[in-house]
Amino acid sequence: MNKLILFVIILLNTLGYAEAQKLTLKWKTDSLLRTPESVYYDGKANILYVSNIDGKSGEKDGNGFITKLRLDGKIETLQWVTGLDAPKGMGLVKGKLYVADLSKVAVIDIATGRIDNSIEIEGAQFLNDITVDKKGNVYVSDSATGKIHLIKGDDKAELYFESKAFTRINGLLAIDDMLYVADAGNGANYKLSKNKELNKFTETSQGADGILLVGKDEYIVSSWPGEVYYVNAEGKAQKLLDTKEQKLNSADLGYHPATKTVFVPTFNGNTVMAYEWSK
């Protein structure tokens, strides 16, 4: 094949790929939230949970709380659960909401809105993101120590993995027997196998934060300064959103699969913004 024709085909395919992926703003909440860090979609209750730090992200001040947010962006209960410190990533197991909260993981009973348990993790300093696998195992990252901890059904925590390759790990995503890991320090995206083999999959940008699954081996990853990327099964990353000039952060994402809606907490912007993802 003529090299020029081949180049044109590759170029057109690349442009077509870039144009196909996009995020379209649907709504944003009122600015009543207080340093929203993470959004989690509860499919059974059809509601969104938003973790609010309400202060400094590394301070134990008791100001943190969880908000219940409707899928249309209306706040159902602003301070649904209170008494947390700096709540961040969340995960749901059998009616219990697990919330990363600095050195502990708070366990909230969805039915009552009460904190049932507080799991202290030895040596933890900055617990950040949470993901849950199909077996109900809870994984939580510690950005300050470069460790991933595992909480099993008995609510006992143990060290799952650590690596000197991590500079400041954040986002976690469990897919089958594998963990995807996003490193905020350098933007690296890793795959961690069940055999504890760590391999760099792709790179987005510094500040890599939340990861959410949007298709088979396809995911969207946020970057805290204000970017959102789509990553396909081959590891090709494409920027979908950039709100840095507007000074709107993109923290730990939530996702509604039926409507392909991505929920972006803006952290210092004190809102959640909802975007329709199309490809």
Side-chain angles (χ1 to χ4, degrees):
M1 182 183 290
N2 183 286
K3 290 184 179 180
L4 178 59
I5 295 175
L6 180 60
F7 172 76
V8 172
I9 291 174
I10 294 174
L11 180 61
L12 289 174
N13 286 337
T14 302
L15 290 174
Y17 170 81
E19 291 173 356
Q21 311 288 332
K22 65 178 182 178
L23 291 177
T24 305
L25 183 63
K26 295 175 65 175
W27 52 254
K28 70 174 182 177
T29 64
D30 293 332
S31 55
L32 298 175
L33 302 174
R34 290 293 172 262
T35 328
E37 201 281 335
S38 181
V39 179
Y40 185 87
Y41 170 62
D42 181 349
K44 187 175 181 180
N46 206 34
I47 200 78
L48 300 170
Y49 304 116
V50 183
S51 61
N52 296 258
I53 294 173
D54 194 14
K56 296 181 179 179
S57 59
E59 190 170 288
K60 293 185 177 182
D61 55 16
N63 292 335
F65 61 93
I66 307 296
T67 295
K68 267 189 173 182
L69 182 66
R70 288 170 21 189
L71 295 181
D72 61 1
K74 303 298 182 183
I75 295 174
E76 182 169 302
T77 309
L78 181 61
Q79 295 195 358
W80 173 56
V81 177
T82 59
L84 300 169
D85 290 315
K88 299 178 180 70
M90 297 172 282
L92 190 60
V93 181
K94 296 180 179 179
K96 306 290 184 180
L97 186 68
Y98 287 71
V99 184
D101 196 16
L102 290 183
S103 63
K104 66 182 182 296
V105 173
V107 184
I108 299 168
D109 184 87
I110 294 296
T112 64
R114 296 176 181 173
I115 299 174
D116 272 0
N117 195 7
S118 184
I119 306 168
E120 288 287 343
I121 297 182
E122 185 178 356
Q125 299 176 30
F126 200 93
L127 298 179
N128 207 329
D129 199 20
I130 281 181
T131 190
V132 179
D133 67 16
K134 292 182 178 180
K135 296 178 182 179
N137 296 314
V138 178
Y139 303 84
V140 54
S141 62
D142 189 334
S143 296
T145 65
K147 296 178 180 180
I148 299 173
H149 299 276
L150 170 64
I151 300 172
K152 297 184 177 180
D154 56 3
D155 279 354
K156 290 185 179 179
E158 62 184 62
L159 177 63
Y160 180 74
F161 185 78
E162 63 179 320
S163 173
K164 293 182 179 179
F166 296 145
T167 58
R168 190 169 178 80
I169 57 170
N170 191 344
L172 298 177
L173 173 63
I175 301 179
D176 297 324
D177 293 326
M178 184 173 294
L179 283 182
Y180 285 77
V181 184
D183 194 321
N186 56 20
N189 289 208
Y190 296 96
K191 283 184 178 182
L192 177 62
S193 73
K194 64 179 180 180
N195 297 322
K196 309 291 181 65
E197 294 178 354
L198 184 71
N199 293 293
K200 186 176 178 180
F201 181 55
T202 190
E203 188 171 313
T204 47
S205 66
Q206 192 173 21
D209 202 317
I211 313 175
L212 55 87
L213 185 68
V214 294
K216 183 173 175 54
D217 298 325
E218 301 173 283
Y219 64 92
I220 287 177
V221 57
S222 60
S223 178
W224 187 86
E227 298 173 316
V228 176
Y229 292 82
Y230 164 79
V231 180
N232 69 9
E234 288 73 44
K236 183 174 182 178
Q238 178 208 333
K239 188 186 294 187
L240 299 179
L241 184 71
D242 190 337
T243 55
K244 296 193 300 295
E245 288 189 4
Q246 291 81 23
K247 297 183 179 179
L248 292 173
N249 304 110
S250 299
D252 190 9
L253 308 167
Y255 186 59
H256 184 242
T259 58
K260 293 186 176 180
T261 303
V262 179
F263 305 100
V264 181
T266 63
F267 205 81
N268 292 320
N270 290 324
T271 62
V272 168
M273 303 183 76
Y275 297 86
E276 182 180 357
W277 172 64
S278 58
K279 59 179 293 190

